[in-house]
Amino acid sequence: MSHDTITPGADDPQEARRRQRWRLALGSEAAPQLGPLSGQAAEQEAVLAFLEGEGSGEGRGSSEGSGLMSVPEWISRVHTLFPQSVADRIVDDAVNRYGLTEIVTSPDALARATPNVSLLKAILATKHLMSPEVLAMARTIIDTVVRELMRTLARPVSTPFTGRRDPLRRSRHQITANFDARATVRANLKNVDPRTGRLVIREPLFTSRVRLLQQRWQVVVVVDQSGSMADSVIHAAVTAAIFSSLPSMRTHLVVFDTEVVDLSGYTGDPVEVLMRVQLGGGTNIAKALRYAEQLLQNPRRSIVVLVSDFEEGGPEGAFLRTAASLVEAGVTVLCLGALDSSGRAHYNERIGRSLAEVGAQVAVMTPDQLASWVAEVIG
């Protein structure tokens, strides 16, 4: 194909996108005719170059200390940069044609890998390809990463629900969290030992806590399990587990693609939740919200948290009407474009604005911010 037939209208955005697609398809050899890649197309080319071993040399699959992508990082990037069907094809080709099999066939390779969120995302994207032996090893890695996330998030997520101390109310529950150091010092100033000058604490004082939650609320976390939502799926599983431990909340966890899977029976076990998640597939948000609506017992004491990029596979009107119906019934609806440690936005902003217009709250949050928001709503 000639240079002229591909590059007319240098200032035309549509033609520029067309040239970028051709340049990506034809590879670096077409750079003199079509020019360099930029933006997401350049990132996509780097990912494909990794598959060919171009950008990684002898270090492919082991980026420690070299600044290169590891295999788990590469798989995560593929599912972020490409549509799901394309990402699945690329990963399958990597395993079946390019010999990038260590992540799905070798327990030894998994044993050498450092358990982290990137590795966990790679496992979630490829566990359907794993043999039983490798899958058992992968489960151990998932457990390690989830335990660390639980340790990191348990306190900031649960703290907003423990109540605040009331300095005017004394408590007989002598626990460290309720110890009132300032009042204790004031009350015991009369007990200063004149010989040593030391303050003798004869009467430690403890405050009572005002409970934020008096009646049980129902919280339904509805999570899009498309490939680009891997971070949010992981953090939603951990956050739901922490929510489920709070006595004043009844927590449900629902994941969806074109079908809806209720994992509420596993909310206390985020490892099992992640083992049951199937990243990828289509998206039917309206169907997922209708299912959530059926779970609600008292709409005015219910919160539906939708975690999605809002890229609806079905009619947008049905999705928005379902969200509006929930709001009109008195349900508090929060639509999150991301739920992870970074809180980076990743959603269809046009649909986000439409959701806000029907009364839903639209935001991007970290798990502790979500917990504070929920506590504020039900407090």
Side-chain angles (χ1 to χ4, degrees), residues 24 33 67 94 96 105 115 130 182 198 218 229 351 370:
L24 185 62
Q33 291 76 34
N96 298 318
T105 62
M130 293 180 178
R182 183 174 297 180
R198 292 182 176 179
Q218 198 171 3
M229 298 298 295
I351 297 297
L370 172 61

Side-chain angles (χ1 to χ4, degrees), residues 27-39:
S28 57
E29 292 182 359
Q33 291 76 34
L34 300 177
L37 292 171
S38 61

Side-chain angles (χ1 to χ4, degrees), residues 139-213:
R139 188 185 185 103
T140 301
I141 292 174
I142 293 175
D143 182 71
T144 300
V145 178
V146 165
R147 283 179 183 274
E148 178 60 22
L149 286 173
M150 291 286 288
R151 185 190 67 78
T152 302
L153 294 175
R155 186 179 182 88
V157 170
S158 61
T159 294
F161 301 93
T162 61
R164 58 179 176 80
R165 290 194 302 177
D166 184 349
L168 301 180
R169 297 178 61 194
R170 295 297 167 202
S171 173
R172 295 180 181 179
H173 299 289
Q174 299 186 2
I175 59 175
T176 302
N178 292 345
F179 178 61
D180 191 336
R182 183 174 297 180
T184 295
V185 170
R186 285 200 305 265
N188 288 274
L189 286 175
K190 60 181 180 294
N191 299 325
V192 174
D193 186 331
R195 184 173 58 84
T196 63
R198 292 182 176 179
L199 178 67
V200 179
I201 304 297
R202 301 188 187 279
E203 184 186 5
L205 299 180
F206 298 83
T207 58
S208 178
R209 286 184 176 263
V210 178
R211 299 302 299 175
L212 289 179
L213 311 176

Side-chain angles (χ1 to χ4, degrees), residues 213-229:
L213 311 176
Q214 301 299 329
Q215 294 180 326
R216 214 172 196 208
W217 277 67
Q218 198 171 3
V219 178
V220 184
V221 183
V222 184
V223 188
D224 183 343
Q225 60 178 350
S226 58
S228 62
M229 298 298 295

